[in-house]
Amino acid sequence: MTEATRIRAPLSGDEVRKLKAGDRVLISGAIYTARDAAHKRLVEALEAGKPLPFDIDGQIIYYVGPCPAKPGQALGSCGPTTSGRMDPYAPALIAKGLRGMIGKGSRQPAVVEAMKKHGAIYFVAVGGAGALAAKTVKKSDLVAYEDLGPEAIRRLEVVDFPAVVCIDTEGNDLYETGKSRYAVS
Amino acid sequence: MRELDVSQVTQAVEEMCVAACYDLPDDVLKAMEKARDVEESEVGRELLDICVENAKVAARERVPICQDTGVTVVFLELGQDLHLVGGDLYEAVAEGVRRGYTTGYLRKSVVADPLFTRKNTGDNTPPIIYTDIVPGERLKIMVVPKGTGSENMSALKMLTPAAGPQGVKKFVVEVVDKAGSNPCPPVIVGVGVGGMMDRAAVMAKKALLRKVGEPHPEPEVAKLERETLKEINDLGIGPQGLGGRVTALAVHIETAPTHIGALPVAVNLQCHAARHAERVL
């Protein structure tokens, strides 16, 4: 793998188009957590013509439902959840300016098409390595939907959160190339 | 007749929920380290190193290995000569879960109603409890915090007897292939064959509790486990699905008598964070 590129969230359009599937990144800055229930509400808000609880333009959403913080932690264990469950909602958010998603697992073609059209990146983090991920979170603030508990939207300040570009703005998919390289026919 | 106060069950379950989420069992850790030695992909080796390091950090710092601390599945083996006193056994187990998920800072991941409100119960109850009545006067408790990344990729199929062992192998490999990167590979593959659909599913889940890679005692089943594992690892999915030689750490198959016209097969996938705890009271 290549040396990691340091990137800062929120992201600019030029920045994301330079990132290619397989690139390693270290993400710093502010990212937003959201998973199933929060996505449902975000898209319902868009459909009702209501404002989103945060300005989504250029942002990265991290698909995660963290553990509660222990004393001394900003946030508890917080590895990625399976991204596919957010596929029904992701295209609408990408169209509104969402520029990055962090998760794990494959995406549906409709999501990849939206990413190509609007210029968005799909990053993957290591599933099941939540204790290490928590060490990169320096601050966590509740943004919306507190009643959803672990599914509430939080704004995280992260430093050098490690991830890999899995699907780039041209639609190249690291899962496909990785698997075909090691498959025994 | 031996008596056991259910408050001891509550205490044990509380401690086991926390321990299971913080401490990856030794056999799983060893299997991950062994996978690292055989993995051909450089990226794959690095990912396996990260997972092992993560498990060690979690144990040392007393934090959850993974944020998905799951639905709490509890297997009880209750000795028929044991007299439980002091309250309701299942409520005692639920109270242990409630306390463990609070004192251990574990994520509460249960919604009360699957279809409409999907409101979080707030304390990770109710657990899913299976009870076997066995000889003796002891209570064996097994706690399995089961995450949904791998659970969602599980599947069940009612094969016909003509499909035989080859049909079972083909279905299991298909399930793992379709799951791809989603269940956080390398996975442990629990397979239940026989019974009826419900029995097959429970066997598949219980198969995940076997020590990783320990073969089935019957040579024919053990051979089917080996062959299925090889085909899975030829898929190329690899650690985290980014390509590699190790897609599964083990295939554990359990079998049970079934109907003359049936061959049910259930596949329950388990991510590499294969957490569980066991205690006998």
Side-chain angles (χ1 to χ4, degrees), chain A residues 1 24 35 40 64-71 73 77-85 104-106 124-133 135 147-151 164 166 174-185, chain B residues 22 39-43 46-47 50-51 53-54 57-58 61-69 103-109 111 120 148-150 152-153 177 181-184 233-237 240-245 272-273:
Chain A
M1 262 197 193
R24 239 194 272 226
R35 47 176 290 152
K40 184 163 185 271
V64 60
C67 282
K70 272 195 150 180
Q73 283 185 312
S77 295
C78 54
T81 194
T82 312
S83 308
R85 295 195 317 272
K104 55 134 179 141
S106 54
V124 290
V126 182
L132 289 178
K135 289 180 178 292
D147 62 300
L148 294 179
E151 298 199 67
V164 177
C166 184
L174 191 60
Y175 284 136
E176 287 170 13
T177 51
K179 186 186 175 195
S180 60
R181 198 167 150 198
Y182 289 94
V184 179
S185 51
Chain B
Y22 291 3
E39 181 53 65
E40 290 166 21
S41 152
E42 188 192 330
V43 177
E46 195 179 327
L47 291 165
I50 291 171
C51 294
E53 167 72 7
N54 180 75
V57 163
E61 299 184 5
R62 311 312 295 156
V63 295
I65 297 161
C66 174
Q67 74 291 339
D68 189 352
T69 50
T103 59
Y105 295 87
L106 309 180
R107 194 180 80 187
K108 289 79 178 170
S109 311
V111 294
N120 197 305
T148 205
S150 52
N152 275 348
M153 296 295 119
D177 194 15
S181 55
N182 289 352
C184 291
N233 284 336
D234 281 349
L235 291 170
I237 295 167
Q240 297 287 323
L242 291 173
R245 194 54 53 226
H272 63 82

Side-chain angles (χ1 to χ4, degrees), chain B:
Chain B
M1 185 178 270
R2 181 171 175 252
E3 286 194 346
L4 178 71
D5 195 290
V6 295
S7 64
Q8 287 181 256
V9 175
T10 297
Q11 168 124 24
V13 170
E14 174 183 353
E15 292 166 7
M16 289 162 80
C17 287
V18 179
C21 289
Y22 291 3
D23 300 303
L24 196 65
D26 262 351
D27 58 306
V28 182
L29 206 53
K30 286 203 173 73
M32 287 290 280
E33 284 168 344
K34 194 177 148 209
R36 196 232 172 260
D37 293 339
V38 301
E39 181 53 65
E40 290 166 21
S41 152
E42 188 192 330
V43 177
R45 283 198 299 273
E46 195 179 327
L47 291 165
L48 291 165
D49 279 340
I50 291 171
C51 294
V52 169
E53 167 72 7
N54 180 75
K56 289 180 177 171
V57 163
R60 194 168 61 230
E61 299 184 5
R62 311 312 295 156
V63 295
I65 297 161
C66 174
Q67 74 291 339
D68 189 352
T69 50
V71 167
T72 319
V73 182
V74 180
F75 290 99
L76 300 176
E77 288 178 11
L78 175 63
Q80 64 184 19
D81 295 326
L82 180 66
H83 184 205
L84 293 163
V85 296
D88 177 309
L89 173 63
Y90 288 172
E91 183 39 49
V93 172
E95 182 59 23
V97 170
R98 193 172 286 127
R99 291 184 194 172
Y101 276 69
T102 307
T103 59
Y105 295 87
L106 309 180
R107 194 180 80 187
K108 289 79 178 170
S109 311
V110 177
V111 294
D113 154 42
L115 278 178
F116 304 106
T117 64
R118 291 193 66 89
K119 190 173 160 41
N120 197 305
T121 61
D123 59 10
N124 221 56
T125 67
I128 294 175
I129 304 173
Y130 296 102
T131 311
D132 284 329
I133 307 291
V134 298
E137 51 176 24
R138 299 273 166 191
L139 174 66
K140 183 174 173 184
I141 308 172
M142 287 161 281
V143 170
V144 189
K146 186 67 172 74
T148 205
S150 52
E151 192 73 7
N152 275 348
M153 296 295 119
S154 302
L156 185 142
K157 193 169 184 180
M158 304 305 282
L159 298 178
T160 57
Q166 293 308 310
V168 169
K169 181 165 69 180
K170 183 165 173 271
F171 176 61
V172 176
V173 174
E174 272 169 17
V175 170
V176 177
D177 194 15
K178 196 172 162 212
S181 55
N182 289 352
C184 291
V187 290
I188 297 166
V189 185
V191 183
V193 184
M196 296 229 140
M197 66 175 270
D198 51 335
R199 167 67 61 88
V202 177
M203 279 195 296
K205 178 148 275 108
K206 216 168 177 183
L208 299 173
L209 295 175
R210 206 195 290 169
K211 287 219 178 304
V212 180
E214 189 177 277
H216 192 280
E218 288 172 32
E220 279 182 311
V221 180
K223 182 165 170 270
L224 185 59
E225 289 176 341
R226 282 195 305 276
E227 289 173 1
T228 309
L229 179 63
K230 186 185 180 304
E231 281 196 25
I232 287 169
N233 284 336
D234 281 349
L235 291 170
I237 295 167
Q240 297 287 323
L242 291 173
R245 194 54 53 226
V246 187
T247 302
L249 299 172
V251 174
H252 297 166
I253 301 175
E254 296 293 335
T255 65
T258 188
H259 189 279
I260 48 174
L263 183 56
V265 185
V267 183
N268 196 202
L269 296 184
Q270 168 64 57
C271 64
H272 63 82
R275 295 150 289 172
H276 49 90
E278 191 177 306
R279 204 182 279 188
V280 179
L281 297 180

